């Protein structure tokens, strides 16, 4: 049965190019999931965009001598182009500086305000002594007063998971320049999180099948919820649509507040661009729809606690009750697929420390499918993983090139050389039937894994079919069957059938090479679609042009099923699917890469 599936992907900051650590948690897993869901016949809406507000943009703009908008424009395009190169099939990858986003954020806020979930408070805010500019909590670090972790942020401690106030940190310091912040009184609007204690706790208690890392993190989220500020003293962000606030030039919504609403605002924008302005409703108002959110583990709080609270408040379904807002009753997340961190030599990827491998550099050197394979097979799905060039080279050479690439090449080459087309089989043996049955049965197994965001288990099962097919060819030795053409052709037909099935199983993971395998097997047309980067006019701001990622993914031929390979289809001499990497690369990496500490 076809169901609406929302794939909601975390929004990267547009303050610089993204590195491979970012896409290990969002880009690759979310696209593998979405491609599978489309192949399985579901109606997928995959949305995200560049997070363009807040201090990270202001800091980068100052460094480069640009305005915040110029900085956002520059890096939004860079990020979108890299995601296009990776093959991430967004229905819409947009940005938070659109007129549509501003309108949706303000409408969600007004619904929360009407229902009593917003409260003004006088609080203490951090200011940079050298610039006079507000320092967001996330840009202040110090020692956690609860667990003693030195490196806690001003909004929460990643070690113990507790929500914090920057003023409570021991030895607070600016992450921008190391100075000790000055704390001053200021008035802000707060989300009344304690007013969701019962409803949020009840909802979280039903999520027993989430990933263990998410469950462990969310277990104590409702025990100590405190009001959370949703406004900041900044001049860059979404204006506050309340009397006494809207005309203040230094009061804007906190970047986290408007960014999480982006999942919904992007869906609304996609619908408006589709020609049916209400099309978003089948993913957001339909109780049968699924909504799966992809992010890194440092974003679990925002997606398991704060975003659900905003949705409940808009719906009038918090502990205080209320009436549904202008968008009706909006669906809460079905699943939160949070990944751990991809590290390098035990440390998080860090641009400031030079421990970074930029996505664009990687794609230009190695192409998209090698990275997609590595992340799917060895990425940080449930625990932190160290990226090493040695492991990358080993995986690509011995698994991707030797196993999968070699299977495609030997099966197609022998059929091309001996028949010139897909041969007609004779009577199959038990061995032939067993291999075909293993490949056909894998669709259910791999599909179950992918539907539950278990990507490592899914690709492992698919590669098990590849391994069985390679063993089958070696055992059956079709090159020795010159005097038994019927048997030779039956072996080759069986091998080609399983190559076609394995290619389908691997398509969500390796869409670019899947297209090549489709063509090597004599197929024509689009097997696996790719996104397009296009410039469009803003729907609400005259003269503003926005680059977006989008695509028509309905025309691709890939379907999640085993289909009989067409006998007699002409086969050309194949070219290598993957080039083996120089083993020396495993010692040092490419010249542009950071040096791994000994």
């Amino acid at each position: 049965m076809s169901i609406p599936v929302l794939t909601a992907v975390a929004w990267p900051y547009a303050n610089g190019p993204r590195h491979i650590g970012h896409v290990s948690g969002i880009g690759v897993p979310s696209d593998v999931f979405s491609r599978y869901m489309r192949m399985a016949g579901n109606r997928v809406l995959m949305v995200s965009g560049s997070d363009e507000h807040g201090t990270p943009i202001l800091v980068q703009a100052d460094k480069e001598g640009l305005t915040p908008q110029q900085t956002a424009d520059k890096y939004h395009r860079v990020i979108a182009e890299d995601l296009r190169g990776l093959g991430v099939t967004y229905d819409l990858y947009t940005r938070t500086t659109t007129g549509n986003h501003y309108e949706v954020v303000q409408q969600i806020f007004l619904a929360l305000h009407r229902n009593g979930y917003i409260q003004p408070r006088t609080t203490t805010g951090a200011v940079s002594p050298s610039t006079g500019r507000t320092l967001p909590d996330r840009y202040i670090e110090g020692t956690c007063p609860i667990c003693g972790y030195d490196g806690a942020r001003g909004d929460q401690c990643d070690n113990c998971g507790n929500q914090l106030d920057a003023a409570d940190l021991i030895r607070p310091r600016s992450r921008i320049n190391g100075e000790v912040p000055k704390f001053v009184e200021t008035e802000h609007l707060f989300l009344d999180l304690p007013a969701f204690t019962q409803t949020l706790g009840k909802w979280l208690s039903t999520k027993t099948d989430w990933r263990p890392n998410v469950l462990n993190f969310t277990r104590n989220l409702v025990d100590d919820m405190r009001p959370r500020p949703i406004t900041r003293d900044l001049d860059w962000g979404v204006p506050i649509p309340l009397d006494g606030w809207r005309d203040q030039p230094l009061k804007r919504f906190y970047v986290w507040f408007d960014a999480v609403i982006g999942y919904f605002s992007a869906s609304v924008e996609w619908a408006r661009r589709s020609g049916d302005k209400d099309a978003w409703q089948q993913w957001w108002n339909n109780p049968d729809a699924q909504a799966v959110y992809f992010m890194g583990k440092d974003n679990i709080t925002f997606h398991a606690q704060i975003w659900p609270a905003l949705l409940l408040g808009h719906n009038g379904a918090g502990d205080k009750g209320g009436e549904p807002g202008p968008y009706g009753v909006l669906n809460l997340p079905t699943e939160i697929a949070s990944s751990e961190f991809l590290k390098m030599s035990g440390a998080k990827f860090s641009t400031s420390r030079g421990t970074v491998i930029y996505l664009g550099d990687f794609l230009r050197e190695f192409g998209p499918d090698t990275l997609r394979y590595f992340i799917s097979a060895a990425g940080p799905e449930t625990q932190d993983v160290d990226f090493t060039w040695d492991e990358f080279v080993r995986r690509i050479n011995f698994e991707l090139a030797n196993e999968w690439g070699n299977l495609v090449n030997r099966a197609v080459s022998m059929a091309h050389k001996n028949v010139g087309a897909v041969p007609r089989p004779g009577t199959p043996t038990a061995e032939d039937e067993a291999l075909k049955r293993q490949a056909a049965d894998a669709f259910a197994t791999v599909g179950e894994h992918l539907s539950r965001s278990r990507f490592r288990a899914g690709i492992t099962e698919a590669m098990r079919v590849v391994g069985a097919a390679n063993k089958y060819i070696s055992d059956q030795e079709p090159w020795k069957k010159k005097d038994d053409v019927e048997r030779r052709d039956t072996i080759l037909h069986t091998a080609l059938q399983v190559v076609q099935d394995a290619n389908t199983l691997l398509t969500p993971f390796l869409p670019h090479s899947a297209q090549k395998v489709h063509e090597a097997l004599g197929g024509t047309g689009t097997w696996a679609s790719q996104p397009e980067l296009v410039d469009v006019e803003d729907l609400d701001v005259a003269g503003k042009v926005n680059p977006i990622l989008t695509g028509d993914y309905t025309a691709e031929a890939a379907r999640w099923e085993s289909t009989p390979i067409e006998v007699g289809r002409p086969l050309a001499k194949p070219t290598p699917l993957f080039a083996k990497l120089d083993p020396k690369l495993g010692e040092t990496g490419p010249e542009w890469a950071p040096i791994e500490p000994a």
Side-chain angles (χ1 to χ4, degrees), residues 504-570:
T504 305
L505 293 168
L506 289 168
T507 293
F509 304 99
L510 311 172
H512 302 82
S513 54
Q515 181 68 38
K516 295 179 181 178
V517 174
H518 171 67
E519 293 166 4
L521 292 171
T524 58
T526 300
W527 174 257
S529 298
Q530 298 298 336
E532 297 178 324
L533 179 61
V534 296
D535 288 341
V536 296
E537 290 189 8
D538 193 285
L539 294 171
D540 302 287
V541 182
K544 180 175 172 60
V545 175
N546 298 317
I548 64 169
L549 276 179
T550 188
D552 179 8
Y553 310 119
T554 61
E556 64 182 20
R559 296 291 180 269
W560 195 255
E561 60 187 3
S562 174
T563 56
I565 193 165
E566 180 185 347
V567 172
R569 183 190 294 167

Side-chain angles (χ1 to χ4, degrees), residues 132 134 186-188 231-236 240 245 247-252:
T134 298
T186 183
E187 186 177 23
H188 282 295
T231 59
R232 301 306 285 164
D233 293 318
L234 290 173
D235 59 357
W236 178 245
I240 303 160
W245 292 80
D247 297 326
Q248 294 194 46
L250 291 178
K251 295 289 185 183
R252 294 290 186 270

Side-chain angles (χ1 to χ4, degrees), residues 443-482:
F443 282 91
T445 306
V446 177
E448 173 64 17
H449 287 314
L450 298 190
S451 69
R452 299 293 306 280
S453 301
R454 296 192 293 247
F455 306 110
R456 181 177 298 176
I459 201 167
T460 298
E461 189 65 31
M463 290 299 289
R464 187 172 287 120
V465 173
V466 171
N470 273 316
K471 183 178 185 301
Y472 167 84
I473 292 176
S474 297
D475 291 347
Q476 297 301 315
E477 300 179 319
W479 53 88
K480 292 185 178 181
K481 303 296 191 289
K482 295 179 181 179

Side-chain angles (χ1 to χ4, degrees), residues 404-418 420-421 496 499 513 516-522 570-578:
W404 177 225
N406 185 49
L407 172 63
V408 174
N409 189 71
R410 69 197 301 207
V412 177
S413 291
M414 285 188 288
H416 163 73
K417 179 180 178 181
N418 290 282
L496 291 170
V499 166
S513 54
K516 295 179 181 178
V517 174
H518 171 67
E519 293 166 4
L521 292 171
L571 298 175
K573 183 178 180 180
T575 56
L577 192 58
F578 298 102

